[in-house]
Amino acid sequence: MTGDATRHAAKMAKKKAARDRIMATKEDEKGLVIVHTGKGKGKSTAAFGMIFRCIAHGMKCAVVQFIKGGMQTGERDLITSRFGDICQFHTMGEGFTWETQDRNRDTEMARAAWSKARELIHDPTNRLVLLDEINIAMRYGYVDAGEVVEFLKAEKPEMTHVILTGRNAAQKLIDVADLVTEMELVKHPFRSGIKAQAGVEF
């Protein structure tokens, strides 16, 4: 090996040893409360990636969509047509709030979605439950954030993962979550006049 290659190998060996020491201390498993928030694209996309991981591992999972519902999406079509036996999919919203323009109806639908979510989370055979856009429902007061947090603390089965997506996650939810990712908007094609496209946004 050249001098550069030898130095690189030694550096990586040190890094691996340090990493192995850290990993040796990580032995626990638990069901996680996971929050995807922020103004950037990718919150639901990342969450569906985890749903498909569960499906690939043969783990039961479920999706409840709180806001979306007025349009066809690739993930819903694929899951309901191919994986409905392992992943329940419930689209409970009727579209974005600026389209429905009916607060009472939006609240009614969000409460129904939250009821379904509680039922699915209570079922310990579901390894992961995705609550898509619930953060928006909480932000507008359709679902009480305090109620959601207390439920997750008191009633979520120990090994069940729950993902909550949407902008403006409540601070009290962030405080109790195990994993929080904020998607930061750097650049978006919508601002250049490009509409949402199949395969990218839905």
Side-chain angles (χ1 to χ4, degrees), residues 39-42 167 183-192 194 200-201:
K39 294 181 179 179
K41 174 181 160 36
R167 293 184 180 203
M183 310 297 185
E184 181 181 354
L185 177 62
V186 176
K187 195 173 185 180
H188 199 293
F190 186 76
R191 292 182 173 179
S192 302
I194 299 170
V200 179
E201 277 85 15

Side-chain angles (χ1 to χ4, degrees), residues 139-155:
R139 180 188 178 199
Y140 284 111
Y142 304 155
V143 176
D144 181 69
E147 180 184 341
V148 173
V149 166
E150 287 307 311
F151 174 85
L152 293 172
K153 286 165 58 178
E155 299 188 45

Side-chain angles (χ1 to χ4, degrees), residues 48 51-52 55 72-87 89 202:
F48 276 108
I51 285 287
F52 283 114
I55 291 171
Q72 184 179 7
T73 64
E75 56 268 25
R76 183 173 68 198
D77 290 350
L78 179 60
I79 290 171
T80 56
S81 66
R82 304 281 182 86
F83 305 112
D85 59 330
I86 195 169
C87 183
F89 204 115
F202 59 91

Side-chain angles (χ1 to χ4, degrees), residues 27-33 54 59-60 121-129 152 155-162:
E27 297 180 347
D28 293 343
E29 287 189 13
K30 63 172 283 192
L32 303 176
V33 173
C54 281
M59 298 173 175
K60 276 188 66 180
I121 294 168
H122 270 142
D123 181 352
T125 66
N126 284 320
R127 191 72 175 90
L128 182 149
V129 180
L152 293 172
E155 299 188 45
K156 180 183 77 64
E158 184 180 359
M159 295 308 295
T160 301
H161 305 302
V162 179

